[in-house]
Amino acid sequence: MSNTVEFGLDTFGDVTADDDGALLPQAEVIRNVVDEAVLADQLGIDFIGVGEHHRNDFAVSTPETVLAGIATRTNRIKLGSAVTVLSSDDPIRVFQRFSTVDALSNGRAEVILGRGSFTESFPLFGFQLSDYETLFTEKLDLFAALLKGEPVSWQGSIRPPLKDQSVYPPIETGTLKTWIGVGGSPESVVRAARYNLPLMLAIIGGNPQRFRPYVDLYHQALDQLGGAKQPIGVHSPGYVADTDEQAREELWPHYKKMHGQEDARPHRRRTRLAADLTGLLQFGGRSRFALCRLARNGGAQDSGDREGTGGFALPDEIFVRPAAAREDDALHRTLRLEGHTDGARSHRVRSP
Amino acid sequence: MSNTVEFGLDTFGDVTADDDGALLPQAEVIRNVVDEAVLADQLGIDFIGVGEHHRNDFAVSTPETVLAGIATRTNRIKLGSAVTVLSSDDPIRVFQRFSTVDALSNGRAEVILGRGSFTESFPLFGFQLSDYETLFTEKLDLFAALLKGEPVSWQGSIRPPLKDQSVYPPIETGTLKTWIGVGGSPESVVRAARYNLPLMLAIIGGNPQRFRPYVDLYHQALDQLGGAKQPIGVHSPGYVADTDEQAREELWPHYKKMHGQEDARPHRRRTRLAADLTGLLQFGGRSRFALCRLARNGGAQDSGDREGTGGFALPDEIFVRPAAAREDDALHRTLRLEGHTDGARSHRVRSP
């Protein structure tokens, strides 16, 4: 296990507004996501993750289809879901689509499997929320079987049994990197360890230090189960400007709007912002991102540097993946890729 | 309804062999399909269709994922499935994926829905062949409801009911061209007319004249049901060389191999070849294809020209879409796009 840190961007295809404040069509948002991924590829960002939702405020309902469109226009960036809601999908279809994205991208596909923090996909695809646990447990078990790349025999309660079933196309290299997305359930952490799959922590807000116990639990479980060491990733909203102060000032009006309904008392909101901003690794001036980059290039072995990234000690193997901040288009639009360019502030790139 | 004729290529992602006869990995075949589509786009071919199979001899199990990869590398060519096996898929997922391909391609997506001439997808995805009819009927009904672009309420036996359910992303233009693929069932022809959807005839071999009654039936049904006139397409295997004679000679050894197990008597095979070669509109020298092109540019109004395309009178609105010949890699490899280039015989193009 190396101490490499990778740096990525996640997006849900947040529906953004044009300069007059009118919401863009979802189709245009999807094309913008592709263009942003192309720019990220050119800038050396390690990973782009595309989420799955079934709502009017997020344009991506089928991440692999968008990733396939990105795959043939990029050369180096890794392509993943963030997350694939496995509970309401078919594990064989998910495997086939990611294997195809892997083919299209010459081996750059990664899948992050989760149960989803939204539940709108359940009624949409005819599943019962009462089966929430069974659906994910069994589907993950089948998916893990598919990852072995051999004919699959499998039996469970959610579908008729499979016997010596080959699934096409096979993964070209034999290995599809498969993460388990975890929002804060210890059971999910242990499950990831049991299948010896990498762990992706979804830190939506607040102090990320509270996720440290999950990292320790994961390591303990891997040790006890005798599994190989695996990487850990963090998904978190983010915002980048030239300096911490500028980031704070620019973010505030959008942050206020986003959290306005949750707590109507202004001082409480301001307190919460302060807490979030302290905790969010992905917030702040370029220097913080420079630290991330430094960490990726070996600096992660220097705990002093790591402590400098906002108070969150990076595990040696952590993947740093800030998310596109959601639910506010101005926030979203300002986030993209800034801080990773040298002076360029334009993120609304379009193909010629 | 104009008399425009469009000319397309279909492929199932046939697993081809390298120069030493070794089968290529399916992932490489998928990348080749993308490259071929890019070339077809440059050459002015109107349409590329990608089939869905779940077998070791065809690399494409998820056509939309491949089409998405094609979408972002092409500018003009229309992108479709050939066919999407709707019976064993989820109509909402199919709609979402095609809507996303439509977004990625700026409105070039078309879906061809069928029941599939192979049945391997039924056990793979946990469906019963005894539900063959019900699955397609109900799923097509739901898909047709989704095409209206409004919140859907739907009830049937195959899944829990939907009530005022919006599906994302919406089709940008409001219209997704949706064909019904028909292999020879009059019921399917009438069903296409009932939903007022275009008809795609799958002519695998033999004399295409025997499909003429389906064309007439479709027109009659549209008339009786009061639906708007719709285009008709033909999918058929094809092979192109510089001349008819050359095409015949080059095709024969591969044709013999392909049909060897069906009829062991050599003279019967040769007779069948002759019949197929007479009947197959897409077989022959470049001049026949020139006629197709001529027809597309207005010549279709001249019945003399149409009768000259191998004895099959093109309905005025027919779409001519030769398929990649299947199950024989040499046949497959020679087919691609030849006859549509000016002198270029290389079809195994690769991106730089």
Side-chain angles (χ1 to χ4, degrees):
Chain A
M1 173 68 59
S2 75
N3 288 325
T4 304
V5 173
E6 294 191 348
F7 185 83
L9 293 170
D10 291 342
T11 177
F12 299 164
D14 319 54
V15 172
T16 46
D18 64 18
D19 292 339
D20 298 327
L23 291 178
L24 298 181
Q26 289 200 345
E28 188 171 343
V29 171
I30 288 171
R31 291 191 289 272
N32 288 342
V33 167
V34 174
D35 290 336
E36 287 160 357
V38 170
L39 178 59
D41 184 53
Q42 292 165 353
L43 295 175
I45 306 292
D46 297 303
F47 174 92
I48 184 142
V50 179
E52 174 193 343
H53 296 84
H54 305 274
R55 303 157 49 99
N56 63 359
D57 49 353
F58 300 128
V60 181
S61 61
T62 164
E64 304 93 321
T65 313
V66 177
L67 294 173
I70 295 171
T72 55
R73 283 190 59 202
T74 52
N75 296 308
R76 197 201 45 77
I77 196 167
K78 294 174 184 172
L79 311 167
S81 51
V83 301
T84 295
V85 186
L86 185 66
S87 319
S88 51
D89 210 329
D90 182 297
I92 292 177
R93 296 271 187 199
V94 173
F95 178 89
Q96 290 178 324
R97 296 196 296 262
F98 271 93
S99 183
T100 301
V101 171
D102 199 62
L104 292 168
S105 66
N106 278 290
R108 290 182 281 130
E110 300 185 6
V111 54
I112 306 179
L113 301 174
R115 301 187 289 189
S117 53
F118 295 83
T119 54
E120 77 266 353
S121 68
F122 279 74
L124 183 61
F125 298 113
F127 294 102
Q128 305 297 328
L129 274 172
S130 54
D131 297 328
Y132 188 79
E133 186 63 28
T134 305
L135 286 168
F136 189 76
T137 305
E138 291 201 9
K139 288 183 179 187
L140 176 59
D141 191 61
L142 173 51
F143 196 88
L146 294 170
L147 288 176
K148 293 175 185 157
E150 297 160 4
V152 168
S153 297
W154 186 89
Q155 194 153 5
S157 69
I158 55 161
R159 56 153 293 155
L162 289 162
K163 188 162 167 53
D164 289 331
Q165 180 74 57
S166 295
V167 175
Y168 303 99
I171 301 286
E172 191 167 22
T173 61
T175 307
L176 174 66
K177 190 161 192 171
T178 303
W179 303 76
I180 303 297
V182 173
S185 144
E187 291 77 12
S188 296
V189 172
V190 173
R191 179 156 39 208
R194 190 162 21 170
Y195 287 105
N196 197 224
L197 294 173
L199 184 71
M200 182 63 70
L201 295 167
I203 306 181
I204 307 300
N207 189 339
Q209 282 288 9
R210 73 186 194 282
F211 279 79
R212 181 79 222 195
Y214 297 120
V215 173
D216 296 335
L217 174 62
Y218 181 64
H219 285 155
Q220 286 163 16
L222 279 180
D223 281 348
Q224 285 179 20
L225 294 160
K229 209 172 171 192
Q230 295 291 347
I232 299 175
V234 170
H235 159 108
S236 174
Y239 182 75
V240 185
D242 285 334
T243 64
D244 282 14
E245 182 54 29
Q246 185 185 340
R248 200 182 313 269
E249 288 308 308
E250 288 179 4
L251 181 60
W252 170 240
H254 309 293
Y255 185 95
K256 193 166 58 173
K257 188 174 155 198
M258 196 187 343
H259 293 286
Q261 292 182 308
E262 288 181 37
D263 192 333
R265 291 160 292 182
H267 73 281
R268 290 289 290 272
R269 289 206 303 268
R270 193 98 210 183
T271 308
R272 180 173 161 165
L273 171 67
D276 272 3
L277 297 196
T278 305
L280 281 177
L281 187 64
Q282 288 73 39
F283 166 81
R286 289 167 189 250
S287 59
R288 298 201 186 205
F289 285 82
L291 279 179
C292 296
R293 306 293 289 178
L294 181 68
R296 190 163 75 91
N297 295 322
Q301 288 160 8
D302 178 342
S303 66
D305 274 348
R306 279 179 280 140
E307 293 294 341
T309 58
F312 180 47
L314 286 171
D316 286 344
E317 73 278 41
I318 209 160
F319 279 53
V320 183
R321 294 188 172 169
R326 296 180 294 112
E327 293 167 351
D328 185 286
D329 65 271
L331 181 58
H332 166 88
R333 294 173 70 194
T334 319
L335 169 73
R336 301 282 177 192
L337 307 182
E338 296 194 19
H340 313 293
T341 64
D342 288 323
R345 295 189 63 86
S346 169
H347 52 279
R348 196 127 304 272
V349 292
R350 297 306 308 270
S351 56
Chain B
M1 176 65 59
S2 75
N3 288 325
T4 304
V5 172
E6 294 190 350
F7 185 83
L9 294 171
D10 290 341
T11 178
F12 298 163
D14 318 54
V15 172
T16 47
D18 65 17
D19 293 337
D20 298 327
L23 292 177
L24 298 181
Q26 290 200 344
E28 187 170 346
V29 171
I30 288 171
R31 291 191 290 272
N32 287 341
V33 167
V34 174
D35 290 336
E36 287 161 357
V38 170
L39 178 60
D41 184 54
Q42 292 164 353
L43 294 174
I45 305 292
D46 296 304
F47 173 93
I48 185 142
V50 179
E52 175 193 343
H53 296 84
H54 305 275
R55 302 156 49 96
N56 63 359
D57 49 353
F58 300 128
V60 181
S61 61
T62 166
E64 305 93 323
T65 312
V66 177
L67 293 173
I70 294 171
T72 54
R73 283 191 57 201
T74 52
N75 297 308
R76 197 201 46 76
I77 196 166
K78 294 173 184 172
L79 311 167
S81 51
V83 302
T84 296
V85 185
L86 185 66
S87 320
S88 51
D89 210 329
D90 182 296
I92 293 177
R93 296 272 187 197
V94 172
F95 178 89
Q96 291 178 324
R97 295 195 298 259
F98 271 93
S99 184
T100 301
V101 171
D102 200 60
L104 292 169
S105 66
N106 278 289
R108 292 183 280 128
E110 300 185 7
V111 54
I112 307 179
L113 300 175
R115 300 188 288 189
S117 53
F118 296 83
T119 54
E120 77 267 353
S121 67
F122 279 74
L124 183 61
F125 298 115
F127 295 102
Q128 304 296 329
L129 275 171
S130 54
D131 296 330
Y132 187 79
E133 186 64 26
T134 304
L135 286 168
F136 189 76
T137 304
E138 292 201 8
K139 288 183 178 186
L140 177 59
D141 192 61
L142 173 52
F143 196 89
L146 295 171
L147 288 176
K148 293 174 185 157
E150 297 158 4
V152 168
S153 295
W154 186 90
Q155 194 153 4
S157 69
I158 55 162
R159 55 153 294 152
L162 289 162
K163 188 159 168 52
D164 290 330
Q165 181 75 55
S166 294
V167 175
Y168 303 100
I171 301 286
E172 190 167 21
T173 62
T175 307
L176 174 67
K177 189 160 192 173
T178 303
W179 303 77
I180 304 295
V182 173
S185 143
E187 292 78 12
S188 296
V189 172
V190 173
R191 179 157 38 208
R194 191 165 35 205
Y195 287 104
N196 197 225
L197 294 173
L199 184 70
M200 181 63 70
L201 296 165
I203 308 181
I204 307 300
N207 189 338
Q209 282 288 8
R210 73 185 196 280
F211 279 80
R212 181 78 220 194
Y214 297 121
V215 174
D216 296 335
L217 173 63
Y218 181 64
H219 285 154
Q220 286 164 17
L222 279 180
D223 281 349
Q224 286 180 20
L225 295 161
K229 210 172 170 192
Q230 295 290 348
I232 299 176
V234 169
H235 157 109
S236 174
Y239 183 75
V240 186
D242 285 334
T243 64
D244 282 15
E245 183 55 29
Q246 184 186 340
R248 200 182 314 270
E249 288 308 309
E250 288 180 3
L251 182 59
W252 170 239
H254 309 293
Y255 185 95
K256 195 167 55 173
K257 187 174 155 198
M258 197 189 335
H259 293 286
Q261 293 183 305
E262 289 180 36
D263 192 334
R265 290 159 293 183
H267 74 282
R268 289 290 291 272
R269 291 205 302 267
R270 192 98 209 184
T271 307
R272 180 173 162 167
L273 171 66
D276 271 4
L277 297 196
T278 305
L280 281 177
L281 187 64
Q282 288 73 39
F283 167 81
R286 289 165 188 252
S287 59
R288 298 199 188 209
F289 285 83
L291 279 177
C292 295
R293 306 293 290 176
L294 181 67
R296 190 163 74 90
N297 295 323
Q301 287 158 12
D302 178 343
S303 65
D305 274 348
R306 278 180 280 141
E307 292 296 341
T309 57
F312 180 47
L314 286 170
D316 286 345
E317 72 277 40
I318 209 161
F319 279 52
V320 183
R321 293 188 173 168
R326 296 181 293 111
E327 293 167 351
D328 185 286
D329 66 271
L331 181 59
H332 165 90
R333 294 174 69 195
T334 319
L335 169 74
R336 301 280 177 190
L337 307 181
E338 296 195 19
H340 312 292
T341 63
D342 290 322
R345 296 187 61 86
S346 169
H347 51 280
R348 196 126 303 273
V349 292
R350 298 306 310 270
S351 56

